[in-house]
Structures are given as structure tokens and as C-alpha cells.
Amino acid sequence: MRRRFAFSAMMFVIFARAHPALAADYPDRPVKMVVPFPAGGFMDTVGRVASERLSAILGQPFVVENRGGAGGRIGEEFVANSKPDGYTLLVDLIIRRL
């Protein structure tokens, strides 16, 4: 379990370090990170660690919002139906056993 969390956190840091390739004006306002599971679980922890790191790197707040229910479907539909401007992100993790 610790290895999976470490791998997930590492991937967030790697992608967050790619910020020079982003447009100069992104993000210019707070970004909402939707966790499709209830607060206090593994995915909530991953989302909060990632939001702290991204906030520090990009200089804008990344707000974690939990929308649990229906096995994650409620949060996923919320993000899918949100405005496609890049300011609503889904925190999801696909772990495959190798």
C-alpha cells in the first residue's frame, strides 16, 4: 500500500514539474480538484497531497472537493459536465497489478 501511495505521489510531482510547458496565464484563478470518493480515504489523501504540492508550484490554490457516491460515478459525472476550461480536475488513480 505504501508503494502505491509513493508511486502516486511521485507521478503527481512529475506532472506538476512540467509547469514551464503550460501556458503563461494558467492557472490565473483557483482550480477545483474533485475526488469522487468520501473524505478520509486513500484517494482523498492523494488529492490533498497533490493539491498542496500543485499550489506551491503553480502559485494558485487547488481546492479539493469530495463528491462521493455510486462508486465514484457522481464525482466523475460532475467533472464530465463541468466547463471544459481546465479548472475542474478529477483525482483518479488507476492501479494495475503488473
Side-chain angles (χ1 to χ4, degrees), residues 37-46 66:
F37 299 102
F42 175 73
M43 290 303 297
D44 182 50
T45 304
V46 170
N66 295 85

Side-chain angles (χ1 to χ4, degrees), residues 4-96:
R4 289 181 182 170
F5 179 76
F7 176 76
S8 302
M10 182 181 66
M11 293 306 294
F12 273 108
V13 170
I14 288 171
F15 287 116
R17 292 303 239 171
H19 68 87
L22 297 174
D25 59 347
Y26 179 84
D28 60 357
R29 58 188 166 113
V31 178
K32 184 185 300 185
M33 295 178 66
V34 177
V35 177
F37 299 102
F42 175 73
M43 290 303 297
D44 182 50
T45 304
V46 170
R48 292 183 189 280
V49 168
S51 71
E52 289 176 14
R53 184 72 177 144
L54 289 170
S55 294
I57 292 171
L58 296 175
Q60 285 291 333
F62 280 70
V63 181
V64 176
E65 182 177 322
N66 295 85
R67 290 192 173 247
R73 188 77 176 153
I74 293 174
E76 292 169 357
E77 286 183 2
F78 176 78
V79 173
N81 295 327
S82 67
K83 187 176 177 183
D85 58 359
Y87 287 92
T88 305
L89 306 176
L90 178 69
V91 178
D92 202 358
L93 187 64
I94 299 173
I95 300 175
R96 295 185 182 180

